[in-house]
Amino acid sequence: LPSGLFPLIVVFLQGPKLVAGKPGGAVTIQCHYTPSSANRHQRKYWCRLQLPTRICHTIVSSYISKDYLGRANITNFPEESAFVVNISQLSRDDSGRYKCGLGISSRGLSFDVSLEVSPDPQDDIEVYTVDLGRTVTINCPFKRENSEKMKYLFKETGELVINTNYVNPNFKGRASIVIQGTNQLMFNVIIKQLKLSDAGIYICQAGDGSSSNKKYVDLQVLEPEPELLYGELRGSVNFDCALGPEETNVAQFLCRVNSQGSCDVVINTLGKRDPAFEGRILLTQRENGRFSVLLTGLKKGDAGHYLCGAHPGGQQKEGWPIQAWQLFINEETVIPSNPTVVKGVTGGSVSLLCPYDRKESNSIKYLCRWEGTQNGRCPLLVSSDGEVQEEHEGRLALFKEPGNGTYTVILNQLTTQDAGFYWCLTDGNTRWRTSTELQIVEGKRKPSLKVPENVTAVLGKSLELQCHFPCKYYAFEKYWCKWSNGECRELPSQDKSPSQALVTCDQNNRFISMTLNSVVKEDEGWYWCGVRKDHNYGETAAVYVAVEKVAVGSREVSPANANPGAEEKVAEPTVRVIENKVIVNPRLFAEERAVVEDTGDQEPGIRTETPHSGSKVLLSTLVPLGLVLSVGAVAVWVARARHRKNVDRVSIRSYRTDISMSDFDNSREFGAVDNMGAAPVTQETILEEKAEAMATPEGNTEPEEPKRAKRSSKEEADMAYSAFLLQSSKIAAQGQEEPSEV
């Protein structure tokens, strides 16, 4: 017995299965037990079984039933490790099924004994002992003069079972007579699907009258002795059922005996399954009527009496073959207690802890998903030797950590279709198979780790991926790894978080970033960002990185021919090329060239070379440009207002023409750009190609208009436009040289 399981119960208790006696006579039954001090002092008993409930009424123990007073006793012989039951003054009513046992009759260890008291047994009586539901063949000899006469089989009560021309309705379809030939002086009576009620004394006869030949037969129909089966709490057990080749094409089942004596179906080959065993039971059919039932995730309440058998209806019926099992659950188990239910959110991840026998640390570990088909099945999803189901590529990884009897399986990018039961198992000890239910929670909950969606990297460029994590993971170890064949190889990391990060932690600005230099085609694949603590894996997020020769959405990008002034416009890409560096939030890189940095002040998405975020770069670029345009608008408005007051009237067309011709010359004198249209192109080029932050210089205000003598409208317009160009040139130059936060 496993340690801790019923320490006071013997390993075995044995004795005779069949005892026969004559009316008025006596019988002695010897029951042998394992020598031990506990067994010598255990309660011994002899009880009579009431079928089919199997309730056992005690006849003799420390007291004697009143019906057996003076004719039944029990004697213990501790030196011989046996006790003896004596019953005298036998009568026909004493025939039946009994139990010899230790402890309590309803729970202790015992074995069945069949007692037959025949009314007038003949000296040549032949005893047939057959298990319930099986087939018996009774041989009936006769003399040659009766070879052509009628053949019979009677019960001792005179009830005809079968003859050459008739079959009793109770044996219809079950009994038959076989005569080998005229030269054979024997006929056979075959009875199939034996029932308990078939037990008794039979007479087979050939011929009639005084010249007939008779033979007495004692048919004993025995219920199968329950095989003892021990399981560990949270572990698994296997019921191996062998019913015989004749039951190969008959529906098979495993049922559990309830308190009323009937048997409730646990699982059968017709698709019926007890909901209490959902997700943790499999039935496997084998050759020659054999089948097995694997039960995992054992609970305390699973202990009990089970029957496996065959019947067209998929349930126990009298007369059909069965095997009996007594399942014990050891609660003092060495299998660790892990959650039997885990919950995940759509798009998130879960970690399943799987135990294994520490003595088999080199065994192959697996994860399979239970499917509620007719018999149940569990196809493998991933294994520790590199196998992974195709549809789970990039989503499922097996880690040997935390070790010491436990490994971890992580499933991410969860969908509602992932809900179900998952089994952990190895190619070693089958008792260490466990079951976990995965539930997908839908609603407002979102994954905590944030990574970009699928990313495209450019050959030869640098690649940076960012993974946002909330403050609740501050104390956790963060990592990046590259997925391959059901494993995720961790990449080297370096923590550069500020020491005051815990105090100043911003829920929205915590990142772990990864940089991959000089991307090559082999860098393509799945990358994971995750957190863990003390070798226990937590949440993960996955991203796929594709490697191409050109940037996403437009032209080929090359360090040698990048054109910062290109006019072709494309959609804002996931991958950005900034001074030969590709900035993204990827999760793909080669281990030997990957550097992971933990930065506490970045926004997810595109990252720049400056210490400022992308949004700040955009603000610092647009604000100076807006101020420049505002100054220009004010200058033009003042010039036009004064122009209207001027006595010299100039047509709008000639006025604009004059400004265009004179202002280009004046702008060169003040060092301004050659034309107005160049300014927006320059700003766009800086934003898209340099991605450098720009900010408005402090103290920038609109200069006061200097006092000047009254001029003509043309001269005033020339001066105003020149001032506008000068101011815009100065602000633009200042913003490029000294960017600051707005």
Side-chain angles (χ1 to χ4, degrees):
L1 287 177
S3 60
L5 179 59
F6 305 115
L8 297 180
I9 293 182
V10 297
V11 174
F12 71 85
L13 180 67
Q14 58 188 12
K17 291 186 176 181
L18 175 64
V19 177
K22 299 179 180 180
V27 292
T28 299
I29 302 99
Q30 292 188 358
C31 305
H32 298 271
Y33 54 82
T34 302
S36 72
S37 175
N39 291 335
R40 284 193 290 270
H41 295 87
Q42 276 275 55
R43 173 181 179 265
K44 285 80 176 173
Y45 66 88
W46 173 263
C47 64
R48 184 167 186 171
L49 282 170
Q50 177 182 335
L51 301 176
T53 61
R54 291 191 61 85
I55 297 174
C56 207
H57 301 283
T58 301
I59 292 175
V60 58
S61 179
S62 55
Y63 75 97
I64 301 176
S65 173
K66 63 179 181 179
D67 294 334
Y68 288 83
L69 285 174
R71 65 187 193 97
N73 62 75
I74 188 170
T75 306
N76 185 27
F77 296 92
E79 65 280 359
E80 298 179 6
S81 299
F83 61 95
V84 176
V85 177
N86 293 301
I87 304 175
S88 61
Q89 303 174 28
L90 293 174
S91 67
R92 177 70 187 280
D93 294 336
D94 291 330
S95 297
R97 299 295 297 277
Y98 295 81
K99 281 175 62 176
C100 183
L102 290 176
I104 302 174
S105 59
S106 60
R107 290 186 301 169
L109 198 62
S110 63
F111 65 90
D112 288 6
V113 180
S114 180
L115 173 61
E116 284 295 328
V117 181
S118 59
D120 186 17
Q122 304 296 316
D123 294 336
D124 61 347
I125 188 171
E126 185 175 0
V127 178
Y128 288 84
T129 303
V130 188
D131 288 335
L132 178 68
R134 302 296 183 176
T135 299
V136 63
T137 300
I138 301 173
N139 300 320
C140 301
F142 56 86
K143 295 180 180 180
R144 187 172 298 277
E145 58 265 26
N146 291 322
S147 60
E148 300 294 333
K149 295 182 180 179
M150 188 77 71
K151 313 297 187 296
Y152 307 89
L153 180 69
F154 295 95
K155 279 194 170 185
E156 55 152 346
T157 58
E159 180 184 5
L160 177 61
V161 175
I162 190 173
N163 65 21
T164 310
N165 301 317
Y166 170 82
V167 178
N168 189 306
N170 293 330
F171 291 85
K172 194 76 172 179
R174 300 195 297 126
S176 61
I177 291 180
V178 178
I179 302 176
Q180 302 294 337
T182 56
N183 294 327
Q184 299 292 329
L185 300 179
M186 181 179 292
F187 69 94
N188 306 114
V189 178
I190 300 174
I191 304 176
K192 301 185 296 183
Q193 301 171 14
L194 285 172
K195 304 177 181 180
L196 293 175
S197 58
D198 293 336
I201 303 297
Y202 289 80
I203 303 171
C204 57
Q205 177 178 325
D208 297 297
S210 59
S211 62
S212 63
N213 302 124
K214 295 182 180 180
K215 178 183 178 179
Y216 286 84
V217 174
D218 185 2
L219 176 60
Q220 304 293 327
V221 180
L222 303 179
E223 281 190 291
E225 287 291 327
E227 297 184 41
L228 304 183
L229 191 60
Y230 299 95
E232 301 277 345
L233 186 67
R234 298 184 289 274
S236 62
V237 293
N238 201 54
F239 298 88
D240 288 317
C241 302
L243 302 177
E246 63 273 12
E247 311 301 338
T248 300
N249 299 319
V250 182
Q252 298 161 330
F253 65 87
L254 177 74
C255 64
R256 182 178 180 182
V257 179
N258 58 32
S259 58
Q260 285 74 39
S262 58
C263 205
D264 301 322
V265 173
V266 174
I267 189 172
N268 64 24
T269 55
L270 300 180
K272 186 174 181 180
R273 186 168 49 247
D274 188 338
F277 296 88
E278 188 76 9
R280 56 192 191 96
I281 192 169
L282 292 179
L283 189 153
T284 304
Q285 292 180 286
R286 309 187 189 281
E287 297 179 349
N288 298 322
R290 297 177 61 90
F291 69 98
S292 63
V293 177
L294 175 62
L295 181 60
T296 186
L298 291 175
K299 305 175 182 179
K300 181 179 178 180
D302 292 334
H305 189 170
Y306 292 80
L307 301 176
C308 62
H311 183 267
Q315 56 186 339
Q316 184 200 17
K317 293 292 183 181
E318 188 181 11
W320 289 84
I322 59 172
Q323 275 185 262
W325 304 84
Q326 186 68 44
L327 175 60
F328 298 96
I329 304 298
N330 180 14
E331 298 181 47
E332 297 181 7
T333 178
V334 295
I335 298 177
S337 177
N338 292 325
T340 57
V341 177
V342 296
K343 297 182 179 180
V345 298
T346 303
S349 67
V350 292
S351 299
L352 306 178
L353 289 176
C354 299
Y356 63 88
D357 191 344
R358 297 181 185 180
K359 300 177 182 178
E360 301 175 343
S361 59
N362 295 325
S363 61
I364 301 177
K365 285 81 175 173
Y366 303 95
L367 182 78
C368 69
R369 181 174 181 178
W370 182 88
E371 296 180 357
T373 55
Q374 181 172 332
N375 299 336
R377 57 188 297 264
C378 198
L380 295 179
L381 302 183
V382 66
S383 69
S384 59
D385 60 357
E387 294 183 12
V388 63
Q389 196 178 67
E390 183 177 355
E391 64 185 51
H392 286 85
E393 288 188 359
R395 301 182 54 213
L396 193 62
L398 189 150
F399 298 85
K400 295 181 180 179
E401 291 81 6
N404 199 24
T406 305
Y407 62 95
T408 305
V409 179
I410 297 179
L411 176 62
N412 60 29
Q413 306 171 62
L414 294 173
T415 66
T416 53
Q417 287 73 32
D418 292 323
F421 293 88
Y422 294 82
W423 285 21
C424 301
L425 59 155
T426 70
D427 63 350
N429 193 340
T430 59
R431 294 177 177 270
W432 285 71
R433 298 179 178 180
T434 58
S435 174
T436 304
E437 182 183 5
L438 170 59
Q439 299 178 355
I440 302 299
V441 180
E442 297 184 81
K444 297 181 179 180
R445 288 185 58 191
K446 300 295 182 184
S448 297
L449 298 180
K450 307 292 183 182
V451 294
E453 295 183 356
N454 293 348
V455 169
T456 301
V458 180
L459 280 172
K461 305 296 180 182
S462 296
L463 186 67
E464 182 172 286
L465 298 176
Q466 293 179 344
C467 175
H468 169 265
F469 61 89
C471 289
K472 67 180 181 180
Y473 289 143
Y474 173 81
F476 284 65
E477 179 184 357
K478 276 75 69 177
Y479 65 92
W480 277 95
C481 64
K482 184 177 181 181
W483 185 93
S484 176
N485 295 328
E487 297 180 340
C488 202
R489 292 180 293 106
E490 187 173 344
L491 300 167
S493 62
Q494 184 176 5
D495 191 354
K496 293 185 178 180
S497 300
S499 59
Q500 69 275 22
L502 180 61
V503 179
T504 62
C505 183
D506 185 341
Q507 185 74 16
N508 299 316
N509 294 317
R510 297 295 302 165
F511 294 87
I512 179 172
S513 61
M514 178 196 70
T515 302
L516 179 63
N517 297 316
S518 301
V519 172
V520 294
K521 189 63 178 177
E522 288 73 17
D523 293 329
E524 190 168 77
W526 285 97
Y527 290 84
W528 287 16
C529 165
V531 297
R532 66 187 174 200
K533 194 170 187 180
D534 300 330
H535 299 290
N536 293 312
Y537 287 85
E539 189 173 352
T540 62
V543 61
Y544 185 82
V545 174
V547 177
E548 297 182 0
K549 292 184 179 180
V550 296
V552 176
S554 63
R555 58 195 182 280
E556 182 173 353
V557 180
S558 171
N561 60 10
N563 183 8
E567 295 182 0
E568 182 181 2
K569 295 183 178 180
V570 295
E572 181 73 13
T574 303
V575 179
R576 302 292 301 278
V577 180
I578 300 176
E579 295 182 353
N580 299 336
K581 186 173 183 180
V582 180
I583 308 297
V584 286
N585 285 15
R587 50 184 169 184
L588 164 68
F589 48 88
E591 180 175 352
E592 65 275 6
R593 292 175 292 107
V595 178
V596 180
E597 296 179 356
D598 183 2
T599 57
D601 55 358
Q602 298 290 324
E603 289 290 337
I606 299 173
R607 188 178 175 216
T608 68
E609 294 293 327
T610 70
H612 307 292
S613 64
S615 60
K616 294 179 180 179
V617 171
L618 187 59
L619 287 174
S620 61
T621 302
L622 294 179
V623 170
L625 183 59
L627 292 175
V628 169
L629 295 178
S630 300
V631 171
V634 171
V636 173
W637 178 79
V638 171
R640 291 179 62 87
R642 292 185 177 180
H643 170 67
R644 293 190 188 95
K645 297 178 182 179
N646 199 301
V647 178
D648 299 329
R649 300 183 176 246
V650 183
S651 69
I652 294 176
R653 179 170 182 175
S654 63
Y655 171 75
R656 291 183 176 173
T657 302
D658 290 342
I659 291 177
S660 299
M661 295 174 62
S662 61
D663 288 349
F664 279 110
D665 294 335
N666 293 338
S667 66
R668 293 188 185 95
E669 295 175 5
F670 289 100
V673 293
D674 289 344
N675 56 70
M676 289 181 63
V681 174
T682 302
Q683 298 297 331
E684 183 177 352
T685 302
I686 293 172
L687 177 61
E688 294 183 357
E689 303 295 336
K690 297 293 184 181
E692 294 182 354
M694 293 177 133
T696 305
E698 296 182 4
N700 240 12
T701 58
E702 185 178 355
E704 293 184 3
E705 183 181 351
K707 296 181 181 180
R708 46 183 174 269
K710 184 175 183 182
R711 305 176 187 272
S712 66
S713 60
K714 180 178 181 302
E715 292 174 338
E716 290 177 345
D718 289 345
M719 293 296 293
Y721 186 71
S722 298
F724 159 71
L725 294 176
L726 177 61
Q727 184 69 11
S728 64
S729 176
K730 291 168 66 178
I731 292 176
Q734 219 170 2
Q736 293 177 3
E737 296 172 2
E738 300 178 1
S740 60
E741 296 183 8
V742 179

